[in-house]
Amino acid sequence: MKKFDYVKPKTLAEASAFMVEHDDKARLYAGGTDMLILMRGGFIAPQYIVDIKEIPGLQDISFDETAGLTIGAAATLNAVASSPIIRQRFGLLAEAAETVGSYQVRNRATIGGNICNASPSADTVPALLVLGAMAWVFGSGEQKAIPLDTFFTGPGETVLGPGDILTSIQVSLPPAGHAYRYLKLGRVRAADLALVGVAVLGFPQAGNPSGYGFRIALGAVAPTAIRAPEAEVVLAESVDDEAIGKAALAAVRTAKPISDVRASAEYRSAMVGALTRRGIKEVLEDLRGP
Ligand SMILES: Cc1cc2nc3c(=O)[nH]c(=O)nc-3n(C[C@H](O)[C@H](O)[C@H](O)COP(=O)(O)OP(=O)(O)OC[C@H]3O[C@@H](n4cnc5c(N)ncnc54)[C@H](O)[C@@H]3O)c2cc1C
């Protein structure tokens, strides 16, 4: 690995200013579980690593009934998955965080790194998309809010500019009576990236002919994680078996998978259909109760 200087700013302003000054020579560093792999492989060779983990507040997880949940960007995925408030009221996010790598990886890996690495297969992102998450970003001396569904511009790419630092993720409470699933397919059961990830959130919605509202997001089957709005519209009308089949097909149409070393595009498409169908059925069972 090429030699680098390790920088540990004490404040967001300091970190941001350093990044602006050293732009393409410096790289923000949180848990390092994505970055160190790239550095060791020689894919990136930053001159400065800017460790932001211990900037005050960046690891905090807090909740209030109005603002909802706020997760500091440097909170580890184990902290997210084991947080009592997240498990109780944002269970989908805990479920998704828990599928990332191994316990050891999740002890280092942060939610901010998972988002900012912008991998199409990042497991927390489909969950955050159906939860309508907001990204809070510090840059140019101020905080700005960016809806997560406008945050990603392509594989490994985001709207963040030089000096921009993701500081937290904010999530409002999901609708009352909701149920959820995050279904992830990897090559092996443990510690593998998603070939396909499907997040399904369902809730009672009196105004819809079906009586339910659904939000569905797909990971690893397009340049960025995406919502599947056509499928959601089908389920607003009906949730009988035929409608569920149609919704699964609509999700397949929305996905734009590629073939790579992990799986072919055809297999990924088929799995989008299978996992979407299963996710909707399991969520409906939970919504209807025993
Ligand atoms: C063995 C192994 C298994 C894995 N399995 C999975 C898996 O199953 N699912 C999955 O989704 N991922 C997986 N990963 C990838 C990785 O662990 C996650 O993406 C992790 O959440 C990255 O977080 P980090 O803090 O380590 O990020 P880092 O490596 O520190 O940073 C990643 C990128 O984000 C940028 N960044 C970090 N924080 C910020 C911030 N606050 N603001 C702006 N930019 C920032 C960095 O500059 C860098 O470009 C795995 C990795 C390994 C090594």
Side-chain angles (χ1 to χ4, degrees):
M1 197 188 291
K2 217 173 145 241
K3 275 195 165 182
F4 55 85
D5 285 329
Y6 176 80
V7 181
K8 199 169 181 188
K10 290 196 172 60
T11 63
L12 283 172
E14 208 186 301
S16 177
F18 189 92
M19 292 303 294
V20 170
E21 196 181 331
H22 297 90
D23 192 14
D24 49 0
K25 295 196 199 76
R27 195 92 179 210
L28 292 171
Y29 178 90
T33 60
D34 278 316
M35 262 182 71
L36 287 175
I37 307 268
L38 295 176
M39 289 169 69
R40 207 173 48 193
F43 299 103
I44 57 169
Q47 189 177 334
Y48 301 102
I49 279 191
V50 183
D51 188 343
I52 52 171
K53 267 192 306 295
E54 285 175 26
I55 291 177
L58 238 54
Q59 296 185 27
D60 294 354
I61 297 177
S62 62
F63 173 76
D64 88 44
E65 295 286 340
T66 317
L69 176 70
T70 303
I71 309 172
T76 67
L77 293 176
N78 271 345
V80 171
S82 65
S83 152
I85 185 70
I86 297 180
R87 293 189 81 83
Q88 280 160 23
R89 304 190 70 178
F90 302 85
L92 174 60
L93 181 57
E95 191 166 289
E98 215 155 27
T99 71
V100 173
S102 59
Y103 188 87
Q104 289 84 346
V105 169
R106 292 192 299 274
N107 248 2
R108 297 284 311 170
T110 65
I111 191 161
N114 198 233
I115 293 166
C116 295
N117 195 51
S119 163
S121 63
D123 282 303
T124 64
V125 176
L128 289 169
L129 285 180
V130 299
L131 289 168
M134 186 71 84
W136 283 92
V137 172
F138 179 88
S140 310
E142 57 176 23
Q143 287 278 1
K144 50 197 169 198
I146 303 174
L148 200 67
D149 59 4
T150 63
F151 189 82
F152 304 101
T153 52
E157 288 170 16
T158 68
V159 295
L160 295 182
D164 281 350
I165 301 172
L166 177 69
T167 56
S168 66
I169 293 294
Q170 190 181 356
V171 191
S172 312
L173 272 174
H178 71 278
Y180 58 83
R181 280 293 182 285
Y182 179 62
L183 298 178
K184 169 178 177 175
L185 178 70
R187 286 171 305 179
V188 290
R189 238 172 223 285
D192 199 13
L193 298 177
L195 297 177
V196 177
V198 178
V200 180
L201 184 79
F203 44 90
Q205 179 95 3
N208 284 347
S210 71
Y212 297 103
F214 273 83
R215 298 184 207 150
I216 298 173
L218 311 173
V221 290
T224 68
I226 43 169
R227 284 278 287 272
E230 252 193 81
E232 297 172 3
V233 168
V234 172
L235 298 170
E237 287 300 315
S238 166
V239 288
D240 64 16
D241 279 352
E242 195 189 335
I244 293 173
K246 279 189 189 158
L249 282 178
V252 172
R253 278 195 301 276
T254 302
K256 301 281 173 278
I258 55 162
S259 296
D260 63 13
V261 289
R262 291 198 156 77
S264 67
E266 292 74 17
Y267 180 67
R268 283 194 161 100
S269 282
M271 290 304 105
V272 168
L275 294 190
T276 304
R277 183 191 302 260
R278 195 203 310 165
I280 297 165
K281 285 193 164 172
E282 290 182 6
V283 166
L284 261 180
E285 277 170 25
D286 286 358
L287 287 170
R288 287 172 170 154

